[in-house]
Amino acid sequence: MPTFAIRLARFTGRLLLALAAIATLVVVFLVTIVLTDGAGSGFGAWLTTLGVGTVAALWRGQRRTRAARLVPFLPVVVAAALTASVCIPTVPTARRYPPALPFVATQHWSLATGSRVAVYHYPPANAGTRHPIPFVYLNGGPVRGISVLDHRFLQFLARQGYDVYAYEQGGGGRSDLLPMDQYTISRSVRDLAAFVDRLDKGRVDILGFSSGAVVLTRALADPRIAARLHRAIIAEPGPMDGPATQITGHKGQPSARGLAPAVTGPRSTRIPRYAAAFGLMRLGLLTPDTGLVGQAEGDNAFTAADLGSDTASGYCARDAHRILTEDTAQNFSFSPAASLRVQQTVKDSPSIAPQLRRSRTPAMLMIAECSSQVRQWATAVLANDPAIQRTQYMPGVGHHMWNGLDDNNDRAAAVITAFLQHKPAPLPNYPTRDELPAFLRDHK
């Protein structure tokens, strides 16, 4: 028994040493990935790790018998196999665009900025109540395709007589990719101006949602672009500039985040290559233009399930167990690297408040009761844009206000169309600028 115990202890010790060696080599690999920014799809880091492991194994085997000298190489072989999985693509590396939608034609417009964007047009379906001014929708993301749920809402507006246009921003959905260094918030604003010029129907009404609302807000701060806009609706905006990104204030009533059933479906983040790439990018340890995973490959790999509870955060807690499917697997498109790049350019941008205070374009702000956004992101726009004529606090809905549940689409459309038609608001004008301190105190 003592002999068995000694042997077991020795075996356990060797096993622990082997596991420690494997873990050390994996750490060396990840550190090298970060230091080289994933150059060469990670193979540079892999060869470095293999070299370090080989040298260490040779050193450890110097005083062993010839047969035993091979033992230190086992952790090297295991670590090499594990880390190689981070270097080998499992999806095509050339962009695979979503297939055409069955209910609307996809047009592609080349803009003066150089962007080639996917455009969707829903002509007014109600001949008796056609509205003469085109309506443009800017979806959220950033750099995400327009969801099927949003398309249904746009169809709903078209049935009320609006001439509805929407486009997916560069790199999103069926729009062509941009070089990574061209994904900036200022490029998004210039693309909006170029889209309105390409539409060539005079001034437009425009609804910007979430990150699309940020693009719209920054457009309103530029008088050359604002001159192209007739009326603007800013719905649930993200931070409009660098100073706003530093705000860590209150959010709305509880969302369904953490309460809704887990999202099902394949996840790229369960594959070592993409778990490492997206995770390190998210931590800021890899640049969006990393050599580990190219933009097109990352877009192809990323799935709706990878967003995890982000979808649930757009709904009220009370709706946690009846959230509708927002998109199909075939239509879903999101560029994680480009999105991080755009967000970083917002963080790096100076305050636009001085320019926004000179805005003259009639505007409306929409705020959700169960918003997952920091309240001050919206209230900063209200405080600095003197042309906001009304604010509509939307009870019973989360960040995604037109979500197909109950009468939420009807209520959102009623608020939007009343403003566009200069009709009385269906909800109180709340909060006003004077009510902002109380609003931030009472609606946490």
Side-chain angles (χ1 to χ4, degrees):
M1 286 299 292
T3 302
F4 174 77
I6 292 171
R7 289 177 179 175
L8 180 61
R10 288 174 178 173
F11 174 79
T12 302
R14 289 168 182 167
L15 179 60
L16 291 175
L17 286 173
L19 292 175
I22 293 169
T24 300
L25 289 174
V26 170
V27 169
V28 169
F29 173 76
L30 292 175
V31 169
T32 311
I33 283 283
V34 172
L35 293 176
T36 61
D37 199 27
S41 195
F43 278 107
W46 185 80
L47 290 172
T48 299
T49 303
L50 186 61
V52 169
T54 300
V55 170
L58 288 171
W59 180 79
R60 290 182 60 200
Q62 281 181 339
R63 298 182 180 180
R64 300 187 180 205
T65 63
R66 180 170 296 180
R69 288 176 186 173
L70 296 177
V71 174
F73 285 91
L74 290 176
V76 180
V77 172
V78 173
L82 290 174
T83 53
S85 64
V86 177
C87 304
I88 302 172
T90 60
V91 300
T93 56
R95 182 70 175 111
R96 292 184 306 180
Y97 292 95
L101 290 165
F103 50 80
V104 64
T106 304
Q107 306 173 49
H108 283 93
W109 290 7
S110 295
L111 305 181
T113 56
S115 299
R116 186 171 181 268
V117 298
V119 180
Y120 309 94
H121 180 210
Y122 293 102
N126 190 336
T129 57
R130 290 194 175 188
H131 302 282
I133 298 175
F135 179 93
V136 175
Y137 176 61
L138 276 178
N139 68 300
V143 199
R144 181 174 177 175
I146 300 175
S147 70
V148 170
L149 197 62
D150 279 3
H151 275 290
R152 290 174 183 155
F153 185 63
L154 299 179
Q155 290 174 314
F156 184 78
L157 293 174
R159 288 195 295 271
Q160 298 191 37
Y162 289 91
D163 192 17
V164 178
Y165 291 84
Y167 71 94
E168 289 166 322
Q169 298 170 46
R174 297 166 183 82
S175 293
D176 286 6
L177 304 182
L178 299 175
M180 189 58 68
D181 62 358
Q182 293 186 27
Y183 288 106
T184 66
I185 189 62
S186 59
R187 173 61 173 266
S188 299
V189 174
R190 293 197 304 274
D191 278 353
L192 169 60
F195 177 82
V196 175
D197 288 346
R198 173 70 172 74
L199 184 59
D200 196 24
K201 292 192 174 185
R203 293 192 301 164
V204 301
D205 292 329
I206 183 163
L207 165 63
F209 167 65
S210 194
S211 64
V214 176
V215 175
L216 176 55
T217 300
R218 295 178 72 96
L220 293 173
D222 186 332
R224 296 167 301 175
I225 301 175
R228 299 168 169 87
L229 311 180
H230 178 251
R231 294 175 84 78
I233 301 166
I234 304 165
E236 280 286 285
M240 66 183 183
D241 53 24
T245 64
Q246 304 302 315
I247 297 173
T248 56
H250 301 295
K251 299 183 180 180
Q253 294 298 313
S255 75
R257 190 183 189 98
L259 301 174
V263 180
T264 59
R267 295 174 185 257
S268 68
T269 46
R270 290 175 177 165
I271 300 170
R273 177 172 176 80
Y274 307 111
F278 298 148
L280 292 173
M281 272 193 281
R282 189 73 178 175
L283 293 171
L285 298 175
L286 289 181
T287 67
D289 202 16
T290 175
L292 181 58
V293 172
Q295 179 189 173
E297 182 190 348
D299 293 3
N300 293 339
F302 203 87
T303 69
D306 286 322
L307 291 175
S309 57
D310 279 6
T311 298
S313 69
Y315 294 78
C316 289
R318 67 180 72 94
D319 296 325
H321 295 279
R322 60 185 196 124
I323 295 174
L324 300 178
T325 301
E326 293 194 347
D327 212 351
T328 63
Q330 294 75 26
N331 184 64
F332 177 82
S333 171
F334 180 70
S335 178
S339 182
L340 287 173
R341 176 84 170 87
V342 173
Q343 292 176 61
Q344 187 60 50
T345 64
V346 175
K347 292 178 182 178
D348 294 340
S349 68
S351 172
I352 65 167
Q355 294 79 22
L356 189 59
R357 293 185 191 117
R358 295 194 290 269
S359 176
R360 297 295 179 267
T361 304
M364 177 178 71
L365 178 66
M366 297 176 70
I367 304 175
E369 178 186 9
C370 308
S371 178
S372 57
Q373 308 283 77
V374 173
R375 287 296 194 198
Q376 286 90 334
W377 292 348
T379 58
V381 179
L382 176 59
N384 290 287
D385 186 349
I388 291 181
Q389 298 178 346
R390 64 176 73 166
T391 302
Q392 300 285 265
Y393 177 73
M394 305 290 292
V397 294
H399 180 59
H400 204 161
M401 293 180 283
W402 41 89
N403 53 35
L405 294 174
D406 303 327
D407 64 344
N408 292 340
N409 283 14
D410 298 85
R411 293 195 296 125
V415 164
I416 291 168
T417 57
F419 175 70
L420 297 181
Q421 297 175 34
H422 309 267
K423 292 181 178 180
L427 297 171
N429 180 27
Y430 175 78
T432 64
R433 292 176 184 84
D434 292 339
E435 295 169 323
L436 284 180
F439 174 78
L440 292 173
R441 183 184 66 245
D442 298 339
H443 293 274
K444 298 179 181 179

